[in-house]
Amino acid sequence: MELRELGFDQWFEVYSNELKQEGCGFARISAVNRGSYLIKNGEREVPAELTGKLSYQIESPVNLPCVGDWVTAQYYNNDTAAIIHRVFPRKTFLRRKTAGENIDFQMVAANIDAAFIVQSCHFDFNPHRLDRYLVMAADGHVEPIIILTKTDLISPDELGQKLAIISSVTKARVLALSNITSIGFDEFRQTLFPGRTYCLLGSSGVGKTTIINRLMGREVFDTKAVSGTGEGTHTTSRRQLIVLSQGAMLVDTPGMRELGLVGAGDGVDMGFEEFVGLSANCRYANCSHKNEPGCAIRDAIEKGELSEDRYASYIKLKKESEYYGMSYLEKRKKDKSFGRFVKSVKKQLKD
């Protein structure tokens, strides 16, 4: 394979002269597992580690290489291992708040062309969680495509109701699949194009790994037996980039229990397109859409043109994003201040 077949398009070529280095080549991060990396360059896939200089320069975990990143790497040991020297800027990204109380970003994947947001038609179906995934995609400028799995577990009428709910939430393309009957997989394959990178997002047990195995035509990755309810169990333990036989690339991700948002204000707006259009008619340009007079969004809700439930989701995600965004900025200020203090102490000791 050539680099362009792995997604190295003109956007990255712009940075190639700036980031090239003697004795090094370009490669793509294909897997990350607890600080260790695999990189792929079209000829081989080898383990890699960061140089000490690069590790020192990285100020935040969000700047560490993640699956899908392009890097400058130096190979050694007869090209069986490599050292990563530089990381390319990201064209697109998928990120979320780190799990737990820590306020920071966690990168999910980078340089993704489209995100397949996977929900099961059974117990996992959750429009509010779908809102969060749509905001995540919009925040990173990634095209969302909704995948409904396990359609064989519900009736055609129930499926129609779920499709109607999704269409009221987003204009994104929706595909309904069944791993049992194979319905929908031909249409799904038609969304995959050579040289483009896709990412599977969703909770544990919705069938992401089964989708990959079916696309590859064999049981490449382990899946666990479904429960009596038809729900699967978590299998994937790390993020990895897989090259399919027809040339498309797919990033598999572990199921996400938490999906917090940090500083995704624009993403929230783009994830709720109908609100953005209406807000242009608000009396005040900085309308918060809560208590201000002349709010076009509140007016539409009172007239029954917008769902009260949808509005509540919008306000909740907007508030969460702003709160964590402010907390993150405060954290970064403290981190930088402490970093300057450490450097000054080292300088004094050296002098």
Side-chain angles (χ1 to χ4, degrees):
M1 297 181 68
E2 297 181 5
L3 290 183
R4 61 179 177 79
E5 295 177 280
L6 288 174
F8 195 84
D9 58 22
Q10 293 181 348
W11 195 92
F12 297 102
E13 288 177 0
V14 170
Y15 297 95
S16 60
N17 286 332
E18 175 186 345
L19 295 173
K20 68 181 180 181
Q21 193 166 325
E22 186 176 354
C24 297
F26 300 138
R28 196 170 191 189
I29 302 289
S30 57
V32 178
N33 189 20
R34 298 180 181 179
S36 62
Y37 303 90
L38 283 179
I39 62 173
K40 184 188 294 286
N41 68 358
E43 296 180 6
R44 60 185 64 86
E45 185 177 52
V46 302
E49 60 184 3
L50 306 183
T51 65
K53 180 179 179 181
L54 179 58
S55 298
Y56 179 77
Q57 290 175 339
I58 290 174
E59 297 182 349
S60 168
V62 74
N63 301 124
L64 286 168
C66 70
V67 173
D69 269 326
W70 282 96
V71 298
T72 303
Q74 181 179 17
Y75 292 84
Y76 64 95
N77 278 359
N78 295 321
D79 294 341
T80 60
I83 299 175
I84 298 170
H85 287 268
R86 298 175 179 177
V87 183
F88 277 70
R90 291 163 179 155
K91 181 167 62 171
T92 62
F93 56 83
L94 293 168
R95 66 184 182 184
R96 64 167 180 169
K97 175 188 168 296
T98 52
E101 298 181 359
N102 186 33
I103 310 299
D104 211 334
F105 290 105
Q106 180 185 42
M107 296 305 299
V108 176
N111 305 314
I112 303 299
D113 294 299
F116 292 123
I117 302 172
V118 186
Q119 288 203 341
S120 163
C121 284
H122 215 211
F123 293 110
D124 182 71
F125 185 76
N126 187 320
H128 291 303
R129 189 186 301 123
L130 176 59
D131 284 338
R132 289 181 176 273
Y133 279 116
L134 289 170
V135 170
M136 175 196 284
D139 182 46
H141 306 285
V142 177
E143 176 192 0
I145 300 175
I146 317 302
I147 305 293
L148 280 180
T149 61
K150 307 186 182 181
T151 57
D152 53 280
L153 295 178
I154 60 174
S155 68
D157 287 343
E158 290 175 310
L159 176 58
Q161 292 170 6
K162 286 176 169 51
L163 292 173
I165 291 173
I166 294 175
S167 66
S168 70
V169 168
T170 178
K171 297 177 182 178
R173 185 175 182 179
V174 185
L175 302 174
L177 310 178
S178 169
N179 288 322
I180 302 298
T181 66
S182 299
I183 289 177
F185 269 94
D186 286 341
E187 184 181 3
F188 180 46
R189 287 189 180 92
Q190 292 172 10
T191 67
L192 303 171
F193 295 93
R196 289 175 64 83
T197 307
Y198 305 85
C199 184
L200 286 166
L201 300 173
S203 305
S204 298
V206 295
K208 300 190 300 295
T209 303
T210 302
I211 288 174
I212 294 176
N213 284 338
R214 182 174 285 271
L215 290 173
M216 299 189 76
R218 60 189 191 280
E219 297 294 318
V220 179
F221 300 100
D222 291 336
T223 56
K224 295 183 180 179
V226 297
S227 66
T229 64
E231 298 305 294
T233 54
H234 171 69
T235 301
T236 303
S237 60
R238 67 173 184 175
R239 299 176 181 90
Q240 54 190 327
L241 184 145
I242 303 148
V243 181
L244 301 176
S245 59
Q246 42 76 289
M249 287 156 285
L250 199 58
V251 176
D252 190 17
T253 63
M256 300 180 188
R257 293 190 184 92
E258 297 183 38
L259 201 61
L261 305 174
V262 181
D266 291 341
V268 174
D269 288 337
M270 289 186 287
F272 290 78
E273 299 176 41
E274 70 273 36
F275 288 76
V276 177
L278 283 170
S279 64
N281 299 320
C282 291
R283 182 181 301 177
Y284 302 107
N286 61 344
C287 183
S288 68
H289 315 305
K290 295 178 181 178
N291 304 309
E292 297 90 340
C295 174
I297 289 178
R298 290 298 311 169
D299 183 55
I301 291 171
E302 292 172 5
K303 292 178 179 178
E305 298 171 357
L306 278 181
S307 162
E308 183 76 42
D309 186 59
R310 178 89 168 137
Y311 167 76
S313 182
Y314 171 76
I315 294 298
K316 180 180 180 179
L317 295 184
K318 194 83 169 173
K319 182 178 180 180
E320 176 184 319
S321 172
E322 291 172 354
Y323 172 76
Y324 284 135
M326 291 176 62
S327 300
Y328 176 74
L329 290 176
E330 288 298 318
K331 176 182 179 297
R332 295 292 293 129
K333 288 180 182 178
K334 291 180 181 178
D335 288 346
K336 288 184 177 180
S337 177
F338 181 72
R340 287 193 294 268
F341 170 73
V342 171
K343 288 181 180 179
S344 67
V345 170
K346 287 183 177 179
K347 186 176 185 301
Q348 291 173 10
L349 292 175
K350 185 177 180 180
D351 294 341

